[in-house]
Amino acid sequence: MTIIYLYRSLAVYGGIERIFIDKINYLAENLGYKIYIVTWEQGTHPIIHPLSPKATHIDLGILFYKEYTYTFIKRMWAHRQMEKLFFKKIQDLVSDTQADIVIGASCEFPTMVGMNLLGNSVRTILESHSMRKSIEKDIEGVKNPFTRLAFRWKNKQLHRLVQQMSAFVTLTRNDARDWSEITDAIVIPNLLHYYPPELTINTSTHKRVISAGRLTEQKGYDLLLATWSIVHQQHPDWTLEIYGDGEDREMLSKQIEEKSLQTAVYLYHATPDIYDKYMQSDFYVMSSRWEGFGLVLAEAMSCGIPCVSFDCPHGPSDIIKNGEDGLLVENGNVEQLAKNIGYLIEHEDIRMEMGRKARENVKRYLPENVMPQWQKLFESLILKN
């Protein structure tokens, strides 16, 4: 079976990019598929994660981002010319490789349109790595009638393209439910990149809570700091460590000072040794306003620590079994989040047992459990041909 995987660039170190490479490597190494990973803005940058020598990388060299260096009218013309070249190169590649399946790893319009133009010559799969509301144009609150009309048209085109795919894959059950009026989505979760083979059993309490992610509004670290201000009053000997980078760093640093949390909250840059940090912590806390999946929860659980999370759309409720291997909290409820953090702090025996169950339960995201779901989907599509 020959599969083409489409993704803009793999030059950035990120969780999504790492998952793509892990999947591609598994398909090439374990299932023996002929895999092509096709980018178009990679340029001369190396692929940030190791790619199996059994997979082939091709960069189309179409730099869509350059259109923003032009004036508006010239930008429209340049975008159209690049799109035409992009579509032709994709069609030629499908023909040359005699691909059976083309996978679009993002809901970007050039990717979706290019896949749609392939017609019935190949089976197409579109992956959504975010929730529906963050992919669609948000019309609510838009007063300009022309902008509203443009957004409605854009959403209509999105829905049409999604419907024309051979299969549409989401990461969570709730996101699949959100798309149900548009299409019957197939749920296949992200796979876990690494599962520590052994844990150093430490019965002592670290008195340390961890969180990791981009420092952006989505991740809700402003809410977490408000939460920790409450926790700190009752448990001043416990600390919170946040690992990440992003545009909200300065704002969050200022919030830490304003709440006098300098000795209680530590804001660190992103680290490649995050698994070591998980294992040096007592539990994980997620304060996101929304998530596509929330892979950090699964990572932390693999290290034998439970998680406390807002029950935000849509990942946490798929990953955490509330009351068994972690705790779910009403989305955005700072007081309730503080209460549940306090509960795990005060009940070490329950915390340790939840951590044990977390490490066991999260095995369902191991590659050997997730990738057969992709294999089943591929084979079902080929049989329909």
Side-chain angles (χ1 to χ4, degrees):
M1 188 181 299
T2 301
I3 298 174
I4 292 176
Y5 219 115
L6 302 175
Y7 192 64
R8 180 187 293 267
S9 172
L10 291 165
V12 178
Y13 183 89
I16 293 177
E17 288 76 14
R18 185 180 65 196
I19 291 166
F20 290 160
I21 295 297
D22 285 347
K23 288 196 292 188
I24 289 164
N25 289 346
Y26 190 98
L27 294 173
E29 296 282 348
N30 296 75
L31 299 180
Y33 293 164
K34 193 169 185 179
I35 304 293
Y36 294 87
I37 173 66
V38 178
T39 58
W40 46 97
E41 291 186 355
Q42 189 77 19
T44 58
H45 301 287
I47 294 179
I48 201 67
H49 302 288
L51 181 68
S52 167
K54 294 183 179 180
T56 302
H57 172 237
I58 297 172
D59 187 70
L60 303 181
I62 303 172
L63 308 179
F64 282 99
Y65 63 84
K66 283 194 171 183
E67 68 185 76
Y68 295 101
T69 63
Y70 305 132
T71 58
F72 180 72
I73 298 299
K74 189 174 181 181
R75 184 190 310 167
M76 294 177 63
W77 178 85
H79 181 82
R80 181 55 185 157
Q81 294 304 116
M82 285 189 284
E83 272 193 336
K84 288 169 66 176
L85 180 59
F86 176 71
F87 300 152
K88 184 179 187 306
K89 285 192 173 186
I90 294 296
Q91 290 170 332
D92 289 346
L93 186 60
V94 169
S95 177
D96 293 342
T97 61
Q98 296 185 312
D100 300 292
I101 294 172
V102 174
I103 303 175
S106 69
C107 295
E108 296 179 312
F109 269 86
T111 302
M112 293 188 292
V113 173
M115 294 169 68
N116 182 45
L117 290 174
L118 296 172
N120 296 322
S121 63
V122 66
R123 296 298 181 182
T124 56
I125 302 173
L126 182 65
E127 293 184 35
S128 172
H129 287 266
S130 189
M131 64 177 188
R132 176 181 171 181
K133 288 183 179 179
S134 65
I135 295 173
E136 293 177 331
K137 291 291 186 180
D138 186 7
I139 299 174
E140 186 176 351
V142 177
K143 296 181 180 179
N144 187 302
F146 297 104
T147 302
R148 289 179 65 87
L149 185 63
F151 281 8
R152 289 186 187 279
W153 180 84
K154 200 81 171 179
N155 288 340
K156 187 175 181 180
Q157 295 307 306
L158 169 66
H159 299 163
R160 179 182 63 83
L161 290 167
V162 166
Q163 289 172 332
Q164 291 172 339
M165 298 294 164
S166 304
F168 181 66
V169 176
T170 66
L171 299 175
T172 66
R173 295 167 298 174
N174 284 331
D175 193 39
R177 194 175 298 120
D178 283 352
W179 285 99
S180 60
E181 66 182 85
I182 308 299
T183 188
D184 292 326
I186 298 165
V187 181
I188 304 179
N190 278 333
L191 54 85
L192 193 58
H193 170 70
Y194 176 68
Y195 187 88
E198 293 182 4
L199 296 182
T200 301
I201 303 299
N202 188 346
T203 56
S204 64
T205 297
H206 302 280
K207 294 189 176 182
R208 185 183 302 121
V209 178
I210 187 173
S211 190
R214 290 174 292 107
L215 306 183
T216 61
E217 180 188 9
Q218 177 199 345
K219 300 300 181 180
Y221 286 121
D222 55 324
L223 301 177
L224 182 53
L225 293 181
T227 299
W228 203 260
S229 183
I230 300 172
V231 172
H232 182 59
Q233 294 176 23
Q234 300 175 342
H235 304 281
D237 53 339
W238 279 68
T239 59
L240 168 67
E241 294 186 354
I242 300 172
Y243 291 85
D245 295 292
E247 62 263 27
D248 284 356
R249 173 172 288 275
E250 185 177 346
M251 180 269 287
L252 294 172
S253 297
K254 185 177 180 181
Q255 189 178 351
I256 289 171
E257 291 182 10
E258 290 174 347
K259 294 183 178 296
S260 300
L261 294 173
Q262 295 94 323
T263 60
V265 178
Y266 297 93
L267 196 58
Y268 296 110
H269 291 286
T271 173
D273 301 320
I274 192 63
Y275 275 83
D276 291 336
K277 305 303 180 183
Y278 291 143
M279 287 184 272
Q280 294 167 15
S281 305
D282 294 289
F283 58 95
Y284 187 96
V285 61
M286 175 179 277
S287 54
S288 297
R289 290 178 166 89
W290 73 90
E291 280 288 342
F293 183 68
L295 188 62
V296 286
L297 295 174
E299 290 178 348
M301 292 165 71
S302 75
C303 295
I305 63 174
C307 300
V308 184
S309 174
F310 283 143
D311 189 10
C312 67
H314 283 300
S317 62
D318 272 41
I319 300 171
I320 296 173
K321 296 183 178 180
N322 188 35
E324 179 179 327
D325 54 24
L327 298 171
L328 293 172
V329 176
E330 179 186 2
N331 195 23
N333 191 325
V334 167
E335 290 76 16
Q336 195 177 103
L337 183 60
K339 182 179 179 180
N340 280 265
I341 289 173
Y343 178 81
L344 284 190
I345 287 175
E346 294 162 8
H347 296 83
E348 181 179 1
D349 55 338
I350 293 175
R351 186 176 73 238
M352 297 291 287
E353 178 61 15
M354 281 187 172
R356 187 190 67 78
K357 289 182 177 177
R359 180 165 162 81
E360 184 63 29
N361 291 347
V362 82
K363 287 181 179 178
R364 65 189 185 274
Y365 298 120
L366 291 175
E368 57 265 34
N369 295 324
V370 173
M371 293 309 296
Q373 299 175 53
W374 281 103
Q375 183 181 16
K376 181 180 178 181
L377 173 59
F378 296 153
E379 292 175 352
S380 68
L381 293 178
I382 295 302
L383 287 174
K384 289 179 181 179
N385 200 353

